[in-house]
Amino acid sequence: MFVSHTREVANIALAIRTEHLTKIYDVGWGRQNVGIDNLTLEVEEGQIFGLVGPNGSGKTTTLKLLLGLIFPTSGNAEVLGMSLDSAAYKSRIGYLPEGPYFYEHLNAPELLRMYGSLFGLRGPDFEKRIQELLELVDMWDRREYRVANYSRGMRQRVGVAQALINEPDLLFFDEPTAGLDPIGAKHIREVILELRERGKTVFLCSHLLKEMEPICDNIAILERGKLITRGSVDELLAGDVTQYRVEARDLDDEIIEQLGDGVAEIIRLDDSCRILFDSREDAFEAATRLEDAGAYLMTVGPDRRTLEEVFIDAVGEEPKDASSVQGS
Amino acid sequence: MRAVYRVAKATYHEGWRRRFLNGILVFAILIIGSSWVFTYLQPGAELKMLIDVGLGSIRFFGMLIAVFLGVRLIPDEIEKRTIYTLLSKPVSRGQFLAGKFFGGLATVISNVALMGITFYVVFAIKAPQFAIPTEEGAPQYSMEFMYANVAKAILMSFLELAVVMGLAVVASVVFSWILAAIFTFFVYFVGQMSEFFGHLADPETGASPAARVILGTIYRIMPHFEIFDVREPILTDVPIVWGYMGRTFGMALIYIGIVLALGYLFFNRREV
Ligand SMILES: Nc1ncnc2c1ncn2[C@@H]1O[C@H](COP(=O)(O)OP(=O)(O)OP(=O)(O)O)[C@@H](O)[C@H]1O
Ligand SMILES: [Mg+2]
């Protein structure tokens, strides 16, 4: 039993490994910007890994370092078991940059043909793949459009298609759903999940926590270049299981006050209210009472935190639009 | 090789779409196409005037296009971030730099080829008229080698522009693009006079030893752009021998090789 367990651990292949990776940008006149600071991370193969953090926390910097677009100040990293100096890993990865841009005079199939040719891809099978990819990102109907006339979301869609052109084993997506409409964003999330299904590793950067939560296996939170929390999503969201929560809309203060003893904490969110209880019975009883009083019940159950809460906890800042009131 | 070719191809097509450079090309073709008009300014030296204006325009406007295209090629990729998707594919920085250079050069050469064809047509039509003495004492031009020489002169300008292109592309990865343009113009104009610096560095001129070292260094490291200027043999109707062309080609190649190698050293560590 023990033996097989260790073997399993040893077998887990790493898609990405960084060791004390540090990037300090020189911005002239002796001033420096911290890009990332001493980042040590491991990303296992076959998982969806989310790198989250506020604006300017170093997500894009990390990606650019891993792709050899910029160079570390210190520390090192390996991608697919190869050092960053090795060009060989480039043929097995795909990259969607933040706000991608392409040669303006080309249309989508021409663009994909050009990128494909860099991998030596051509011929009828490849043409079929181009069509599949453009259908996947819903750009096949608009294949005649030139990049110069694209909307932001269209560039993003083609950006996803070009990242997949070589059937990569490892994908780097920087804000994959930025600029996409809700249907487009959902679609991309489905694509990402399907990639994992096929055994690919996906490294995602985003600050859209609501999107990351249901798709990521593991998450690391960065702030000002520093890794502040990491772990599997299940671990991070487990929260305080001794508490139970009731979330409801359309309730006024009076009803809340009548709830009485069992209430541990009341958190008012923009359009709803979350009430935490110490016991399961209190929670369900309160839920019934709230519903009778005409409130719209949203959730009742063990308190599982949202990624947003984990994030705010870790980053240490109250959300602008949620005020916390201590219950009596 | 595949990567270089692909980058070059995209660069070539993209290069043709630069309005400002298209403007220079149209203007150059207008000037070259009407170069025979300028000949009326200098009665008696019409042929010289035709060749000066025609070949001079080709070199000058070609140089402008090479500089302005060359210094923008890589900065544009970086500013528009098209470089991210390229360098994350199996394209090394060396291949990228070479692809940009060759693609840009192909654009410039096709631009200049259009100017060259225009001039060649004008020349073929007008030159025989000017060669015939209109009155006693007017210069009697020999035109035995002239057609071939004019074509060779246009070929020489391709070589010259390749050197300018190499300088411009490489300068743009070392400096900002504006500084790179100024630098390239400077090297071009000083390079036109490199022989002159060579003479100044001669001990007989009486220059101080320090000045001689500086002038001598300029003479040695500047590309000798005057080797591409072949108006003299054209006007005196001496054949431009292939040996000279070959030597010039070799020198251009060596110069481009050195410049691109230096550019590679810079670009390989450049953050994008
Ligand atoms: N080229 C650069 N020169 C100087 N500083 C930079 C450069 N690029 C990024 N930085 C700095 O590095 C830090 C991290 O930036 P980065 O772009 O990695 O953040 P990010 O997490 O991707 O942010 P966002 O969510 O806004 O995309 C920031 O403080 C930024 O100012
Ligand atoms: Mg970013």
Side-chain angles (χ1 to χ4, degrees):
Chain A
M1 180 77 171
F2 182 69
V3 174
S4 84
H5 175 73
T6 40
R7 191 189 301 140
E8 212 176 282
V9 169
N11 265 351
I12 291 175
L14 291 180
I16 301 170
R17 202 169 58 85
T18 71
E19 251 175 25
H20 309 294
L21 197 62
T22 300
K23 175 66 189 177
I24 311 285
Y25 291 102
D26 251 314
V27 284
W29 286 287
R31 295 186 48 204
Q32 297 184 322
N33 271 3
V34 177
I36 56 164
D37 186 5
N38 211 2
L39 179 70
T40 301
L41 263 190
E42 286 180 353
V43 178
E44 288 161 21
E45 267 179 15
Q47 61 165 261
I48 302 178
F49 188 94
L51 189 63
V52 302
N55 293 132
S57 56
K59 306 181 294 289
T60 301
T61 300
T62 308
L63 280 193
K64 284 171 139 188
L65 284 169
L66 292 176
L67 288 154
L69 297 171
I70 57 176
F71 308 102
T73 311
S74 64
N76 57 58
E78 272 179 15
V79 176
L80 297 170
M82 292 174 252
S83 90
L84 293 184
D85 306 325
S86 152
Y89 74 87
K90 298 273 175 74
S91 58
R92 290 177 52 203
I93 61 159
Y95 172 43
L96 167 71
E98 188 175 32
Y101 212 85
F102 311 103
Y103 290 128
E104 291 192 338
H105 62 279
L106 299 180
N107 62 29
E110 287 166 351
L111 207 74
L112 294 187
R113 231 168 267 139
M114 181 194 84
Y115 285 126
S117 69
L118 295 171
F119 296 95
L121 299 170
R122 63 201 306 180
D125 283 350
F126 180 57
E127 289 298 316
K128 242 176 65 200
R129 177 158 177 75
I130 287 178
Q131 177 171 354
E132 278 166 17
L133 281 173
L134 289 177
E135 280 168 354
L136 183 74
V137 296
D138 200 16
M139 282 295 292
W140 180 249
D141 297 338
R142 293 173 279 186
R143 62 184 175 278
E144 297 300 331
Y145 289 32
R146 311 226 155 248
V147 172
N149 306 323
Y150 275 7
S151 72
R152 175 156 171 236
M154 289 163 77
R155 283 198 298 274
Q156 192 78 15
R157 285 161 190 265
V158 171
V160 171
Q162 63 82 29
L164 297 173
I165 194 86
N166 54 325
E167 305 227 31
D169 297 322
L170 168 61
L171 280 134
F172 294 94
F173 283 153
D174 201 345
E175 316 268 357
T177 59
L180 290 183
D181 55 62
I183 296 169
K186 180 159 173 280
H187 210 84
I188 298 300
R189 287 198 298 276
E190 285 162 8
V191 171
I192 292 172
L193 288 171
E194 198 204 306
L195 286 167
R196 177 179 57 189
E197 208 93 312
R198 304 209 322 253
K200 318 278 187 188
T201 313
V202 186
F203 191 92
L204 282 177
C205 290
S206 179
H207 48 239
L208 298 176
L209 302 167
K210 287 207 176 75
E211 271 190 22
M212 301 286 272
E213 186 176 321
I215 58 175
C216 290
D217 299 307
N218 280 282
I219 276 186
I221 300 181
L222 283 181
E223 194 203 14
R224 290 171 191 257
K226 282 205 164 64
L227 180 66
I228 49 175
T229 315
R230 52 177 288 202
S232 77
V233 172
D234 288 335
E235 272 164 36
L236 291 175
L237 301 188
D240 194 351
V241 282
T242 58
Q243 290 196 322
Y244 290 80
R245 72 161 61 174
V246 173
E247 224 171 290
R249 255 183 9 216
D250 305 334
L251 28 79
D252 45 52
D253 292 346
E254 264 176 60
I255 318 174
I256 298 175
E257 258 148 48
Q258 283 164 18
L259 288 177
D261 281 351
V263 177
E265 195 178 346
I266 301 173
I267 301 163
R268 283 172 219 275
L269 307 164
D270 0 337
D271 58 348
S272 66
C273 191
R274 181 183 305 151
I275 309 163
L276 298 181
F277 297 87
D278 287 326
S279 83
R280 190 173 176 279
E281 290 73 30
D282 285 343
F284 277 88
E285 202 193 304
T288 325
R289 256 200 274 166
L290 288 177
E291 196 154 42
D292 290 344
Y296 178 89
L297 215 53
M298 290 155 73
T299 54
V300 190
D303 183 28
R304 181 181 153 100
R305 298 194 295 172
T306 63
L307 188 54
E308 197 166 322
E309 289 168 298
V310 174
F311 182 81
I312 290 164
D313 259 5
V315 174
E317 230 174 338
E318 288 290 305
K320 264 188 268 143
D321 44 14
S323 53
S324 176
V325 180
Q326 208 55 47
S328 53
Chain B
M1 224 37 232
R2 184 165 67 204
V4 175
Y5 170 71
R6 287 294 155 179
V7 174
K9 194 175 159 199
T11 306
Y12 172 77
H13 288 294
E14 194 264 342
W16 268 104
R17 272 156 229 275
R18 293 177 185 241
R19 295 274 152 72
F20 177 61
L21 301 184
N22 298 155
I24 295 182
L25 175 63
V26 169
F27 185 71
I29 286 182
L30 285 178
I31 299 253
I32 294 165
S34 53
S35 53
W36 55 277
V37 176
F38 294 88
T39 59
Y40 295 116
L41 295 175
Q42 257 185 347
E46 287 95 346
L47 201 55
K48 179 175 187 302
M49 194 69 187
L50 185 67
I51 286 168
D52 276 352
V53 171
L55 291 182
S57 299
I58 288 175
R59 284 183 77 200
F60 179 73
F61 291 113
M63 186 271 298
L64 279 190
I65 292 176
V67 173
F68 285 122
L69 182 63
V71 297
R72 290 298 302 165
L73 286 176
I74 291 179
D76 269 358
E77 290 261 359
I78 295 174
E79 278 165 34
K80 291 190 174 166
R81 302 191 308 277
T82 45
I83 195 171
Y84 292 177
T85 41
L86 273 182
L87 288 188
S88 61
K89 305 265 185 294
V91 178
S92 72
R93 288 175 177 241
Q95 290 168 331
F96 178 81
L97 185 73
K100 284 277 131 188
F101 168 75
F102 286 117
L105 183 59
T107 314
V108 173
I109 285 185
S110 44
N111 273 243
V112 173
L114 286 181
M115 298 183 206
I117 291 167
T118 311
F119 178 63
Y120 208 81
V121 170
V122 173
F123 182 79
I125 296 170
K126 286 289 172 183
Q129 302 175 10
F130 299 135
I132 297 161
T134 46
E135 57 190 78
E136 218 76 61
Q140 165 82 58
Y141 285 104
S142 139
M143 288 192 55
E144 199 180 337
F145 306 109
M146 208 168 268
Y147 290 106
N149 277 351
V150 167
K152 285 176 184 167
I154 294 169
L155 281 181
M156 294 288 257
S157 64
F158 292 170
L159 281 182
E160 179 175 35
L161 294 173
V163 177
V164 175
M165 191 65 170
L167 277 169
V169 170
V170 166
S172 79
V173 303
V174 181
F175 314 119
S176 72
W177 73 268
I178 295 179
L179 205 59
I182 294 170
F183 171 83
T184 313
F185 283 130
F186 177 79
V187 173
Y188 182 77
F189 287 113
V190 172
Q192 292 290 347
M193 301 183 290
S194 58
E195 278 307 322
F196 174 67
F197 288 102
H199 288 309
L200 289 184
D202 205 293
E204 285 164 27
T205 55
S208 72
R212 281 219 310 275
V213 170
I214 294 171
L215 292 166
T217 309
I218 293 178
Y219 175 70
R220 248 164 261 130
I221 65 169
M222 282 289 165
H224 294 194
F225 280 111
E226 64 250 355
I227 60 176
F228 302 105
D229 185 351
V230 286
R231 274 173 304 177
E232 184 86 16
I234 296 180
L235 287 170
T236 49
D237 206 29
V238 186
I240 302 170
V241 292
W242 287 107
Y244 179 77
M245 302 272 294
R247 260 201 320 281
T248 313
F249 182 77
M251 281 170 78
L253 225 53
I254 290 171
Y255 207 83
I256 292 167
I258 292 172
V259 167
L260 286 184
L262 281 176
Y264 175 73
L265 290 180
F266 271 95
F267 189 59
N268 211 25
R269 293 308 299 171
R270 163 100 191 242
E271 307 212 314
V272 295

